[in-house]
Short mmCIF file of all heavy atoms in Angstrom, two decimals:
data_model
loop_
_atom_site.label_atom_id
_atom_site.label_comp_id
_atom_site.label_asym_id
_atom_site.label_seq_id
_atom_site.Cartn_x
_atom_site.Cartn_y
_atom_site.Cartn_z
N ASN Y 468 -66.50 176.98 -15.15
CA ASN Y 468 -65.65 176.76 -16.33
C ASN Y 468 -65.91 177.83 -17.40
O ASN Y 468 -64.96 178.40 -17.97
CB ASN Y 468 -65.93 175.37 -16.89
CG ASN Y 468 -65.25 175.12 -18.22
OD1 ASN Y 468 -65.87 175.26 -19.27
ND2 ASN Y 468 -63.97 174.80 -18.18
N GLN Y 469 -67.18 178.12 -17.67
CA GLN Y 469 -67.50 179.14 -18.68
C GLN Y 469 -67.03 180.52 -18.23
O GLN Y 469 -66.57 181.33 -19.04
CB GLN Y 469 -69.00 179.16 -18.94
CG GLN Y 469 -69.53 177.91 -19.62
CD GLN Y 469 -68.90 177.73 -21.00
OE1 GLN Y 469 -68.96 178.62 -21.84
NE2 GLN Y 469 -68.28 176.58 -21.22
N ILE Y 471 -64.41 181.16 -16.36
CA ILE Y 471 -62.95 181.21 -16.55
C ILE Y 471 -62.62 181.55 -18.00
O ILE Y 471 -61.79 182.43 -18.29
CB ILE Y 471 -62.32 179.86 -16.14
CG1 ILE Y 471 -62.42 179.67 -14.62
CG2 ILE Y 471 -60.86 179.81 -16.56
CD1 ILE Y 471 -62.03 178.27 -14.17
N LEU Y 472 -63.26 180.85 -18.93
CA LEU Y 472 -62.97 181.08 -20.34
C LEU Y 472 -63.38 182.47 -20.79
O LEU Y 472 -62.68 183.12 -21.58
CB LEU Y 472 -63.68 180.02 -21.18
CG LEU Y 472 -63.25 178.56 -20.94
CD1 LEU Y 472 -64.03 177.62 -21.83
CD2 LEU Y 472 -61.75 178.40 -21.15
N LEU Y 475 -60.86 184.99 -19.56
CA LEU Y 475 -59.66 184.96 -20.37
C LEU Y 475 -59.87 185.67 -21.71
O LEU Y 475 -58.95 186.27 -22.25
CB LEU Y 475 -59.21 183.52 -20.59
CG LEU Y 475 -58.28 182.96 -19.52
CD1 LEU Y 475 -58.19 181.46 -19.64
CD2 LEU Y 475 -56.88 183.56 -19.64
N CYS Y 515 -52.73 179.19 -21.50
CA CYS Y 515 -53.16 179.54 -20.13
C CYS Y 515 -54.61 179.12 -19.92
O CYS Y 515 -54.96 178.55 -18.88
CB CYS Y 515 -53.01 181.04 -19.91
SG CYS Y 515 -51.29 181.60 -19.77
N ALA Y 516 -55.46 179.38 -20.90
CA ALA Y 516 -56.87 179.01 -20.79
C ALA Y 516 -57.04 177.51 -20.69
O ALA Y 516 -57.82 177.00 -19.88
CB ALA Y 516 -57.65 179.57 -21.99
N MET Y 517 -56.30 176.78 -21.53
CA MET Y 517 -56.44 175.32 -21.53
C MET Y 517 -55.94 174.70 -20.23
O MET Y 517 -56.54 173.75 -19.71
CB MET Y 517 -55.67 174.73 -22.72
CG MET Y 517 -56.28 175.07 -24.07
SD MET Y 517 -55.35 174.40 -25.45
CE MET Y 517 -55.63 172.66 -25.24
N VAL Y 518 -54.85 175.22 -19.68
CA VAL Y 518 -54.32 174.68 -18.42
C VAL Y 518 -55.34 174.87 -17.30
O VAL Y 518 -55.67 173.93 -16.55
CB VAL Y 518 -52.98 175.35 -18.07
CG1 VAL Y 518 -52.60 175.07 -16.62
CG2 VAL Y 518 -51.88 174.86 -19.01
N ILE Y 519 -55.85 176.10 -17.16
CA ILE Y 519 -56.84 176.36 -16.11
C ILE Y 519 -58.08 175.50 -16.30
O ILE Y 519 -58.62 174.91 -15.36
CB ILE Y 519 -57.19 177.86 -16.08
CG1 ILE Y 519 -55.96 178.69 -15.75
CG2 ILE Y 519 -58.29 178.14 -15.06
CD1 ILE Y 519 -56.18 180.19 -15.87
N ASP Y 520 -58.55 175.41 -17.55
CA ASP Y 520 -59.74 174.64 -17.85
C ASP Y 520 -59.56 173.16 -17.52
O ASP Y 520 -60.41 172.52 -16.90
CB ASP Y 520 -60.11 174.82 -19.32
CG ASP Y 520 -61.30 173.98 -19.73
OD1 ASP Y 520 -62.36 174.11 -19.11
OD2 ASP Y 520 -61.15 173.16 -20.67
N ARG Y 521 -58.41 172.59 -17.93
CA ARG Y 521 -58.17 171.16 -17.68
C ARG Y 521 -58.04 170.87 -16.20
O ARG Y 521 -58.54 169.84 -15.71
CB ARG Y 521 -56.89 170.71 -18.39
CG ARG Y 521 -56.95 170.78 -19.91
CD ARG Y 521 -58.02 169.86 -20.48
NE ARG Y 521 -58.01 169.86 -21.93
CZ ARG Y 521 -58.67 170.74 -22.69
NH1 ARG Y 521 -59.41 171.68 -22.10
NH2 ARG Y 521 -58.62 170.67 -23.99
N ILE Y 522 -57.40 171.75 -15.44
CA ILE Y 522 -57.27 171.52 -14.00
C ILE Y 522 -58.62 171.55 -13.31
O ILE Y 522 -58.96 170.69 -12.50
CB ILE Y 522 -56.30 172.55 -13.38
CG1 ILE Y 522 -54.87 172.32 -13.89
CG2 ILE Y 522 -56.34 172.49 -11.86
CD1 ILE Y 522 -53.88 173.36 -13.43
N VAL Y 523 -59.45 172.55 -13.65
CA VAL Y 523 -60.76 172.68 -13.01
C VAL Y 523 -61.65 171.51 -13.41
O VAL Y 523 -62.31 170.89 -12.55
CB VAL Y 523 -61.41 174.02 -13.40
CG1 VAL Y 523 -62.85 174.09 -12.91
CG2 VAL Y 523 -60.61 175.19 -12.83
N GLN Y 524 -61.68 171.16 -14.69
CA GLN Y 524 -62.51 170.04 -15.11
C GLN Y 524 -62.03 168.72 -14.50
O GLN Y 524 -62.83 167.89 -14.09
CB GLN Y 524 -62.49 169.94 -16.65
CG GLN Y 524 -63.31 171.00 -17.34
CD GLN Y 524 -63.51 170.68 -18.81
OE1 GLN Y 524 -63.30 169.55 -19.25
NE2 GLN Y 524 -63.94 171.67 -19.57
N GLY Y 525 -60.71 168.54 -14.48
CA GLY Y 525 -60.18 167.31 -13.89
C GLY Y 525 -60.52 167.18 -12.43
O GLY Y 525 -60.88 166.10 -11.94
N ALA Y 526 -60.41 168.28 -11.69
CA ALA Y 526 -60.74 168.26 -10.26
C ALA Y 526 -62.21 167.92 -10.05
O ALA Y 526 -62.57 167.13 -9.17
CB ALA Y 526 -60.41 169.61 -9.63
N ARG Y 528 -64.18 166.17 -12.13
CA ARG Y 528 -64.43 164.76 -12.47
C ARG Y 528 -63.99 163.83 -11.36
O ARG Y 528 -64.63 162.82 -11.08
CB ARG Y 528 -63.69 164.41 -13.77
CG ARG Y 528 -64.28 165.08 -15.01
CD ARG Y 528 -63.75 164.42 -16.27
NE ARG Y 528 -64.11 165.18 -17.45
CZ ARG Y 528 -63.32 166.03 -18.07
NH1 ARG Y 528 -62.08 166.21 -17.60
NH2 ARG Y 528 -63.70 166.69 -19.13
#
Side-chain angles (χ1 to χ4, degrees):
N468 172 261
Q469 292 299 305
I471 291 171
L472 298 180
L475 272 165
C515 289
M517 292 178 68
V518 166
I519 297 173
D520 176 57
R521 296 298 184 274
I522 292 174
V523 172
Q524 285 193 16
R528 290 195 190 99

